[in-house]
Structures are given as structure tokens and as C-alpha cells.
């Protein structure tokens, strides 16, 4: 049943490791996954879901995506799995709603959740979406074309200070103020409409010495605009607690992040979930106040050289995973 992963413009990142981490939860009742349910919270082209459905013939997957075109592609790809796969038009912070629509409670009802964060390879490869600084396209950057604000709207309508704040907070761009000033001066004569116009402005605004040593000068600005347009970090802050709440005892949550802002949020949420809930200063842990989750990874795992060679887009990945403790689990 498994298809050529490259056919859909997406090679799943750390696929074997994701399956290895999820397997104990998915096979706890039956070795073929019968009775188990997992949410693929970032469905994309469906590569991870396809591999899981193929590996475990009894498994049920609920795939979430906010991009209608991704849902259509994944739906076609996974149609052969029948009612074992359910597609849901939802952001990943809407896990509870997606579960309810599938007839499942939002709390302690599923065996796993998988997040593959950021912009997908499929979206980057679709030039017309405006996510890539390497090809000319409208300044859109919406993952869901039902959203009202585009990157062009931010650049052409937001106050200079707000643009600088977006670039600084979401792109960690040290020349945020300088870039915002250049944007405001430019739009006074003509609005910014295309990615190539923005890239040209960035080459002019960022000092030459930085351009030579700091990677592509547009990378941080494009990241910041994409995050702002899609409210990605706010969604992630709500999605992770919802995922932790959704898994039953023994259930696992696996997250792959691709930039430091995402990974920082994942690290903080997982650290809180794996910490004791006893009041600080007590000499012993109170019964019933132990950590709800156990870390499955030591820090963030990285792709190895072989994986990066096969799939260069795996180079920045940071993988973290946790498991909900079983009742009475003292580990």
C-alpha cells in the first residue's frame, strides 16, 4: 500500500524514529494496532500517516490540516485505507474538536499524537503560495486561504513599530528596525506585492558583511511573516496541552520542530508535564502529585548525517517525545 514518498513532494522526516517512539503505545493492546487511535496533527501530504497505517493494519489515524489542498492530496493518497483514516479540516490546536467529530472524548481517549511543525515541503514547493524566498510569487504565506491577513497586508498596512516587533520576535532578526524602516519608505511610493520585491529590499537593508556570512538575508524575515500570518506560535501553545490531555495512560506525544522558537515552546511544555506537581520545598513527593508524563528523549534528538543526506530538509529538526504515565507508575 505504501507509495513513493517523493511522489507527493514530501519525504517524511525521521520516519523510522517516529514509528519507533510511537510503537509501544500503538501496540499495547494488539501487535497490529487494532483498537489504537493516533492523531497526525500536521497531516501535510500524509507521509507519516501512510507509513503508520501500512505498518499497523489495525490502526486508526485522524489527520488534521488547516490547508485544504493538503487535505485533498492526503485524502487521495490514503483513500485505500478506507475508514481507518479520517481527514479533518482543523488547526492542530483544535484536536479536541476533531476528536469530538470523530466520536471520541477530548480527554484520555487516544494512543498517540504526532506533530511535524512548520511549513511543509509541499507548501514550500508550491511557488504560488509565497513561502519561499527563492522564487517569485505573491506575498501571501497563508497556510489556509480562508485567513484574512496575508504577508503583503502586514508589510503594506501595519505600523513600522509593529512590523519591527514581528521580525524581531518571530524571526529573531537583529536588523528588524532597519528592515521595517525600509519597508515603510518603500510602500510610501509603491506597495510590496511579490517575494522578489521583498528579497530585493532585504538585500539593500541588511549590511553586506552580514549577507556574506549569515545565510540568506531573507530567511528570518520570511519565517517571521509566515509565523505572524498563521499565528503559528499561539496555535502551538494551545495545541501541546490539548495533545497531552488527549492521550490515555501509556499514550505518547512526539513533536518535531524546525526552528528555535517552536522548540523552545515544546521544551517548556514538556518540562512542565514531566515535573513533580508537589509544592516546592517539601522533603518528599506527595502521593498523587508525581509527574504526569515521562520524557522519552534526552533533550532534543537530531537527524543523523545519513538522514540529512537523503532528505536535506531534516537538517534543522529537533525531536522531543513524552509518554503519559500509567497509574501507579513510579518511574
Amino acid at each position: 500500500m505504501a507509495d513513493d514518498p517523493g511522489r507527493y513532494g514530501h519525504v517524511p522526516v525521521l520516519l523510522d524514529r517516529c514509528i519507533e517512539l510511537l510503537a509501544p503505545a500503538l501496540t499495547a493492546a494488539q501487535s497490529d494496532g487494532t483498537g489504537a487511535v493516533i492523531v497526525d496533527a500536521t497531516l501535510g501530504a500524509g507521509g507519516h500517516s501512510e507509513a503508520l497505517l501500512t505498518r499497523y493494519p489495525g490502526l486508526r489515524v485522524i489527520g488534521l490540516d488547516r490547508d485544504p489542498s493538503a487535505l485533498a492530496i492526503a485524502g487521495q493518497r490514503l483513500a485505500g485505507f478506507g475508514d481507518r483514516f479520517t481527514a479533518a479540516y482543523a488547526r492542530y490546536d483544535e484536536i479536541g474538536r476533531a476528536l469530538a467529530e470523530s466520536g471520541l472524548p477530548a480527554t484520555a481517549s487516544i494512543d498517540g499524537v504526532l506533530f511535524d511543525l512548520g511549513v511543509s515541503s509541499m507548501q514550500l514547493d508550491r511557488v504560488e503560495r509565497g513561502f519561499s524566498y527563492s522564487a517569485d510569487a505573491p506575498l501571501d504565506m497563508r497556510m489556509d486561504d480562508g485567513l484574512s491577513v496575508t504577508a503583503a497586508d502586514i508589510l503594506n498596512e501595519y505600523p513600522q513599530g509593529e512590523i519591527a516587533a514581528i521580525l524581531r520576535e518571530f524571526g529573531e532578526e537583529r536588523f528588524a528596525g532597519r528592515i521595517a524602516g525600509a519597508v515603510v519608505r518603500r510602500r510610501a511610493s509603491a506597495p510590496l506585492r511579490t517575494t522578489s520585491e521583498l528579497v530585493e529590499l532585504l538585500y539593500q537593508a541588511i549590511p553586506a558583511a552580514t549577507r556574506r556570512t549569515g545565510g540568506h538575508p531573507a530567511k528570518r524575515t520570511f519565517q517571521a511573516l509566515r509565523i505572524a500570518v498563521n499565528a503559528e506560535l499561539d496555535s502551538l501553545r494551545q495545541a501541546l496541552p490539548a495533545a497531552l490531555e488527549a492521550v490515555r495512560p501509556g499514550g505518547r506525544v512526539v513533536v518535531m520542530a524546525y526552528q528555535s522558537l517552536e522548540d523552545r515552546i515544546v521544551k517548556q511544555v514538556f518540562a512542565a508535564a514531566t515535573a513533580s506537581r508537589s509544592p516546592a520545598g517539601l522533603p518528599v513527593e506527595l502521593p498523587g502529585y508525581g509527574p504526569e508524563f515521562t520524557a522519552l528523549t534526552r533533550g532534543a534528538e537530531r537527524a543523523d548525517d545519513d538522514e540529512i543526506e537523503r532528505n536535506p530538509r531534516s537538517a534543522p529538526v529537533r525531536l522531543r517525545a513524552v509518554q503519559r504515565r500509567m497509574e501507579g507508575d513510579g518511574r
Side-chain angles (χ1 to χ4, degrees):
M1 180 82 64
D3 212 325
D4 174 8
R7 176 183 170 189
Y8 292 89
H10 173 67
V11 178
V13 173
L14 293 178
L15 178 60
D16 291 340
R17 181 57 174 150
C18 288
I19 292 176
E20 179 185 11
L21 285 165
L22 291 165
L26 303 183
T27 61
Q30 298 284 341
S31 61
D32 68 350
T34 296
V37 180
I38 185 171
V39 168
D40 184 344
T42 47
L43 179 62
H48 287 99
S49 285
E50 181 183 48
L52 288 163
L53 288 161
T54 301
R55 184 76 60 92
Y56 303 110
L59 178 66
R60 180 182 175 195
V61 173
I62 301 170
L64 279 55
D65 210 290
R66 64 193 302 179
D67 184 343
S69 63
L71 286 172
I73 291 170
Q76 180 184 19
R77 179 179 192 171
L78 304 174
F81 294 102
D83 61 6
R84 293 175 52 218
F85 171 72
T86 302
Y89 174 46
R91 298 187 316 189
Y92 45 59
D93 58 356
E94 298 176 301
I95 288 174
R97 174 177 69 79
L99 290 176
E101 291 175 354
S102 298
L104 295 167
T107 302
S109 65
I110 61 174
D111 302 277
V113 183
L114 174 64
F115 291 88
D116 188 9
L117 301 175
V119 63
S120 73
S121 302
M122 180 178 60
Q123 289 167 331
L124 285 171
D125 292 340
R126 294 186 61 188
V127 172
E128 70 275 12
R129 303 294 290 274
F131 289 110
S132 175
Y133 45 76
S134 60
D136 192 26
L139 278 166
D140 192 320
M141 301 195 192
R142 292 174 297 171
M143 293 181 178
D144 177 354
D145 57 15
L147 295 174
S148 58
V149 176
T150 68
D153 293 331
I154 291 174
L155 294 169
N156 294 315
E157 300 174 13
Y158 282 26
Q160 180 174 334
E162 194 166 346
I163 295 172
I166 287 171
L167 300 184
R168 190 176 299 113
E169 180 180 357
F170 298 150
E172 299 178 298
E173 173 55 74
R174 62 188 176 116
F175 298 107
R178 186 167 178 165
I179 293 168
V183 166
V184 170
R185 289 191 296 274
R186 158 61 194 263
R187 77 189 191 191
S189 57
L192 285 159
R193 296 298 184 195
T194 68
T195 55
S196 62
E197 291 173 350
L198 177 57
V199 169
E200 181 181 1
L201 179 147
L202 293 169
Y203 268 100
Q204 296 170 356
I206 295 174
T210 300
R211 295 201 310 268
R212 287 193 294 269
T213 60
H216 197 289
K219 180 179 180 179
R220 295 181 182 276
T221 293
F222 272 62
Q223 172 184 298
L225 290 171
R226 190 200 81 223
I227 289 173
V229 165
N230 297 287
E232 291 177 41
L233 300 185
D234 289 340
S235 292
L236 182 60
R237 291 187 184 98
Q238 297 175 53
L240 292 171
L244 295 175
E245 185 176 327
V247 294
R248 59 171 55 102
R252 298 183 168 203
V253 179
V254 176
V255 185
M256 290 181 287
Y258 294 84
Q259 40 95 349
S260 61
L261 298 174
E262 292 172 339
D263 185 54
R264 195 173 303 147
I265 293 171
V266 179
K267 180 180 179 180
Q268 291 169 351
V269 172
F270 281 6
T274 56
S276 170
R277 293 169 293 157
S278 294
L282 293 182
V284 295
E285 187 168 84
L286 295 177
Y289 283 79
E292 289 188 279
F293 287 81
T294 300
L296 299 173
T297 55
R298 178 174 290 184
E301 294 184 358
R302 307 286 302 272
D304 61 24
D305 291 342
D306 289 342
E307 168 116 7
I308 293 171
E309 185 176 354
R310 291 193 307 270
N311 184 7
R313 285 175 176 167
S314 68
V317 72
R318 307 287 190 277
L319 182 149
R320 299 179 189 269
V322 293
Q323 175 177 337
R324 181 184 284 278
R325 290 190 170 203
M326 306 291 287
E327 186 174 348
D329 186 354
R331 287 175 299 169

